Amino acid sequence: MKNWSGNVTFGAAEVVCPTSVEEIKAAVIAAGRVRALGSAHSFNKIADSPDVLLSFADFPKDIEIDATSKEVRVTAGVRYGELAVALHAADLALPNMGSLPHITVVGATSTGTHGSGMGNQNLSAAITSIELITASGAEMTIAGDQLNAARVGLGALGIIHHVTLKAIDAFDVAQAVYFDLPFENLINNFDAVMGAGYSVSAFTMWSELLVDQLWIKSRADSDELPGAEFFSAKRATVKSHPIAGAPTESATEQLGSVGPWHERLPHFKLDFTPSFGDELQTEYFVDRKDAAAALQAVHSLRAQIAPLLLVTELRTIAADENWMSPAHGRESLAIHFTWKPDLAGVTAFLSTLEASLAPFKARPHWGKIFSAGAFDFKALYPQFKPWVDYRTNLDPDRKFINEQLADWGI
Ligand SMILES: Cc1cc2nc3c(=O)[nH]c(=O)nc-3n(C[C@H](O)[C@H](O)[C@H](O)COP(=O)(O)OP(=O)(O)OC[C@H]3O[C@@H](n4cnc5c(N)ncnc54)[C@H](O)[C@@H]3O)c2cc1C
């Protein structure tokens, strides 16, 4: 069995598909080592297990909406696209979405998956309760202050069967794309450019002078899209894909057309293959105050980046308190790379890229490719040690630890 990209072959000896909480308990008690799989969209071996892998393919897909409290309780296995449609039907929304709706709520929040927007925290911030089976087979509900340790849990705290999220009122979004933003204009006006809408993404091939595309998603009830020209970038009059030249039907509607939040906040539609398909991904989070310097550092490597790159996306994420969130304690810029599927070439280049971002204390995305040895997580995450202690207390025999997590010092 492989992950979505095909670059990871899972090594689990057995895949078990529970259909109930009781079956999860039994599987956890019986297994030596066990982990859960979401939609397998991570690019590293974070979801793998040496022994048993639990798939939620046969688990009920329940979405329980409480219209009064505006909370929604979902089972593991529910994907963001499915949740979004159900919430919208109840006139509710999520504050933000990742670039694709295909990922599961539990799998995505477990790695700190995020969208963009100066005021938008990563997707896990919406979690108000987590229900899981611990290593001993006990049922546990995590709520209140302990959620800071558990929202981004890397699958290492237990097998989650339900999470509850806080929703907000449904809203409409207008999306427009702007071409050819001068790189100098981006770095000299970073907050103004990236704050030009509710959610803004810049797509670049790191050419010497220009950032190729700026995708601006504005809330129809509060912001207005910029006009025909924005910091010298020109508003597109034809639909666009983040990777220039790729077919545009998979992309969500643009050209300023207003639509519901869940049909504009992701870049890709649920019923199409997202992104490019045959690709690898890497992403690093730096403090937004270092945005200009960090972007210049990467820009200086553009000749080495070019042969490997499909596209880079730049996004902003609001700070949060979650111990293992890449945006913990700092307003963040995420510098993302969609690479061609050249694993050897990409891996060889990453040490250069990571060294260029080390002065900015860059934190890697937990679900993407990075060089394990290049990051001192104790130094990068002030709550790393308390999180490891919290985890060890729940799972002293390391039932939920795989080789990937051990490589990261967990
Ligand atoms: C095309 C593409 C686009 C992407 N876009 C974005 C983006 O916009 N923003 C972003 O931040 N990331 C993005 N990613 C990365 C992706 O969001 C993360 O890798 C995410 O974790 C994948 O979710 P998943 O459901 O596939 O989880 P998996 O990859 O299957 O698992 C991720 C983690 O969750 C754990 N887990 C899953 N289910 C459970 C459970 N029931 N109990 C306990 N632990 C569990 C797993 O053990 C693992 O540790 C993208 C990936 C792809 C392939």
Side-chain angles (χ1 to χ4, degrees):
M1 189 169 56
K2 287 182 181 271
N3 67 341
W4 175 84
S5 157
N7 69 306
V8 169
T9 301
F10 293 109
E14 192 187 354
V15 177
V16 173
C17 301
T19 60
S20 66
V21 172
E22 286 311 311
E23 286 183 23
I24 297 176
K25 268 189 214 175
V28 168
I29 290 166
R33 300 273 186 91
V34 55
R35 286 182 65 80
L37 189 61
S39 63
H41 275 67
S42 295
F43 289 87
N44 57 38
K45 293 193 170 175
I46 187 171
D48 203 4
S49 163
D51 190 356
V52 172
L53 201 49
L54 292 186
S55 157
F56 282 76
D58 296 341
F59 203 74
K61 283 195 176 181
D62 293 338
I63 301 176
E64 300 160 44
I65 298 173
D66 182 332
T68 311
S69 68
K70 295 185 185 167
E71 284 192 310
V72 56
R73 180 172 178 258
V74 298
T75 41
V78 170
R79 292 170 190 252
Y80 267 102
E82 296 154 348
L83 171 59
V85 168
L87 280 176
H88 192 66
D91 265 338
L92 292 171
L94 294 167
N96 209 2
M97 306 251 312
S99 63
L100 77 174
H102 308 69
I103 45 180
T104 66
V105 175
V106 172
T109 51
S110 293
T111 62
T113 291
H114 61 95
S116 192
M118 305 281 243
N120 294 325
Q121 296 176 319
N122 75 37
L123 307 186
S124 76
I127 294 179
T128 57
S129 157
I130 298 175
E131 294 163 70
L132 74 169
I133 302 300
T134 65
S136 64
E139 287 189 39
M140 181 179 181
T141 300
I142 303 178
D145 284 350
Q146 276 195 44
L147 282 171
N148 288 344
R151 284 194 189 94
V152 180
L154 312 186
L157 305 179
I159 306 299
I160 299 170
H161 51 86
H162 283 88
V163 289
T164 302
L165 308 170
K166 183 80 184 162
I168 58 177
D169 291 330
F171 55 98
D172 284 336
V173 173
Q175 173 164 255
V177 174
Y178 297 76
F179 288 129
D180 296 339
L181 171 74
F183 181 69
E184 288 297 314
N185 287 357
L186 172 67
I187 59 172
N188 293 334
N189 307 280
F190 186 80
D191 284 3
V193 171
M194 297 303 284
Y198 182 73
S199 172
V200 176
S201 289
F203 290 95
T204 180
M205 296 298 289
W206 301 102
S207 76
E208 193 177 346
L209 298 177
L210 295 174
V211 171
D212 306 60
Q213 302 181 22
L214 196 65
W215 287 40
I216 303 185
K217 301 164 194 273
S218 292
R219 274 187 72 131
D221 55 2
S222 54
D223 322 319
E224 253 183 50
L225 286 168
E229 196 168 317
F230 181 64
F231 285 104
S232 302
K234 306 280 184 299
R235 185 159 162 173
T237 52
V238 289
K239 199 177 171 194
S240 179
H241 187 287
I243 298 170
T248 59
E249 68 265 27
S250 65
T252 46
E253 298 310 320
Q254 307 154 17
L255 308 175
S257 88
V258 175
W261 59 280
H262 64 299
E263 292 179 6
R264 296 293 181 279
L265 292 178
H267 303 323
F268 302 105
K269 295 177 182 169
L270 181 62
D271 37 358
F272 283 83
T273 299
S275 194
F276 197 68
D278 207 1
E279 64 189 53
L280 301 170
Q281 294 189 8
T282 295
E283 190 168 34
Y284 305 98
F285 299 71
V286 297
D287 195 315
R288 218 171 72 208
K289 70 175 167 43
D290 293 326
L295 290 172
Q296 268 163 330
V298 178
H299 196 240
S300 71
L301 301 174
R302 61 189 178 281
Q304 289 160 274
I305 292 173
L308 297 166
L309 188 71
L310 285 170
V311 75
T312 274
E313 181 175 9
L314 308 174
R315 287 177 280 185
T316 58
I317 304 101
D320 66 49
E321 312 231 302
N322 296 318
W323 294 0
M324 294 295 275
S325 161
H328 174 88
R330 62 188 195 192
E331 301 296 328
S332 296
L333 155 67
I335 307 175
H336 163 92
F337 301 82
T338 301
W339 303 109
K340 293 174 186 167
D342 171 3
L343 188 57
V346 170
T347 313
F349 173 63
L350 287 188
S351 52
T352 305
L353 179 61
E354 288 161 355
S356 79
L357 289 171
F360 310 108
K361 298 189 167 48
R363 297 170 178 158
H365 191 304
W366 294 114
K368 302 187 180 179
I369 296 172
F370 59 93
S371 323
F375 298 90
D376 175 358
F377 291 115
K378 275 198 209 90
L380 290 173
Y381 285 84
Q383 300 295 332
F384 186 78
K385 169 84 171 51
W387 182 79
V388 171
D389 291 346
Y390 178 81
R391 204 214 72 72
T392 306
N393 193 37
L394 285 176
D395 176 22
D397 297 329
R398 299 173 67 78
K399 189 169 257 206
F400 299 123
I401 295 297
N402 62 11
E403 210 177 306
Q404 183 75 91
L405 268 59
D407 277 354
W408 298 339
I410 295 167

